[in-house]
């Protein structure tokens, strides 16, 4: 039986939600009763579809957004379960996918004081933090691990500008955490669906507009069949 990217994505992400880790390639091959080479091909196709990020040397899963399978600056907890988020946006997406009461632990700008964000049923409680998006969306998949690593929590836009000056990073777009949480809930809301697929450019633009996300960071090229 030929595996679709949607079927493989559904299997992997539900393992991550349940266990906090992704299944190894050999486990997936055994689960679907296929040869490891066939599963490797399926994972590579899923990576081409931007459903997973694979380690370049062994085709094991590095990230399946919004989850990272390697330690990051974002730890997401719900009860006794723990996950890593790729970035502030992803971590808020994890909170939306998990539901209930979720706590995100991080540091300001990846280097400052520790911060803790509580999200209850998709709503951020008692936080005035902002999220910085320095990488234009149309370039985010050029190096998605790096792109995610720069989407961080800050206390203010002034703090963002100071941080960007120190690190030689161009100031991007700064949004309140509440706005990003609502956006993340919509963006990642179907990532556990059996029929998952990435957003088209038109769908992504509609989501950006719905949440008031405009400006150079959020512009996407016309006539591009890339999915986000």
């Amino acid at each position: 039986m030929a595996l679709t990217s949607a079927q493989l994505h559904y299997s992997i992400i539900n393992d991550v939600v349940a266990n906090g880790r992704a299944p190894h390639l050999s486990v997936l091959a055994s689960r679907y009763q296929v040869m490891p080479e066939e599963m490797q091909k399926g994972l590579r196709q899923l990576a081409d579809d931007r459903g997973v990020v694979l380690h370049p040397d062994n085709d094991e899963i590095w990230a399946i957004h919004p989850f990272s399978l390697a330690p990051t600056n974002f730890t997401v907890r719900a009860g006794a379960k723990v996950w890593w988020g790729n970035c502030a946006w992803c971590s808020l997406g994890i909170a939306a996918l998990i539901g209930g009461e979720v706590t995100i632990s991080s540091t300001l700008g990846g280097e400052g004081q520790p911060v803790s964000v509580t999200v209850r049923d998709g709503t951020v409680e008692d936080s005035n933090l902002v999220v910085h998006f320095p990488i234009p969306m149309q370039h985010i998949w050029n190096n998605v691990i790096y792109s995610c690593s720069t989407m961080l929590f800050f206390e203010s836009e002034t703090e963002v500008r100071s941080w960007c000056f120190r690190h030689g990073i161009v100031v991007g777009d700064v949004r309140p955490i509440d706005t990003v949480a609502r956006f993340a809930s919509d963006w990642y809301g179907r990532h556990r669906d059996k029929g998952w697929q990435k957003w088209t450019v038109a769908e992504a633009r509609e989501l950006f507009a719905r949440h008031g996300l405009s400006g150079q960071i959020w512009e996407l090229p016309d006539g591009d069949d890339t999915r986000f």
Side-chain angles (χ1 to χ4, degrees), residues 126-146:
D126 300 323
S127 178
N128 295 316
L129 296 177
V130 297
V131 179
H132 181 218
F133 295 86
I135 309 295
M137 290 295 124
Q138 62 180 299
H139 300 310
I140 207 166
W141 277 91
N142 293 354
N143 184 342
V144 73
I145 299 297
Y146 171 76

Side-chain angles (χ1 to χ4, degrees), residues 77-96:
R77 291 182 171 86
K81 292 187 174 182
V82 182
W83 304 269
W84 292 309
N86 295 285
C87 61
W89 173 18
C90 284
S91 299
L92 292 163
I94 292 172

Side-chain angles (χ1 to χ4, degrees), residues 13 16 50-54 61-76 83-95 97 104-106 110 131-132 140-141 143-153 187-188 191 198:
I13 203 163
V16 175
R50 295 181 171 178
V52 292
V53 180
L54 302 178
I61 301 163
W62 190 349
I64 178 166
H65 287 77
F67 300 93
S68 171
L69 285 309
T72 68
N73 191 46
F74 296 88
T75 303
V76 184
W83 304 269
W84 292 309
N86 295 285
C87 61
W89 173 18
C90 284
S91 299
L92 292 163
I94 292 172
L97 280 179
I104 302 168
S105 300
S106 187
V131 179
H132 181 218
I140 207 166
W141 277 91
N143 184 342
V144 73
I145 299 297
Y146 171 76
S147 296
C148 282
S149 74
T150 64
M151 297 181 199
L152 303 168
F153 289 134
W187 187 266
Y188 288 113
H191 272 54
K198 297 290 282 185

Side-chain angles (χ1 to χ4, degrees), residues 47 95 123 181:
T123 300

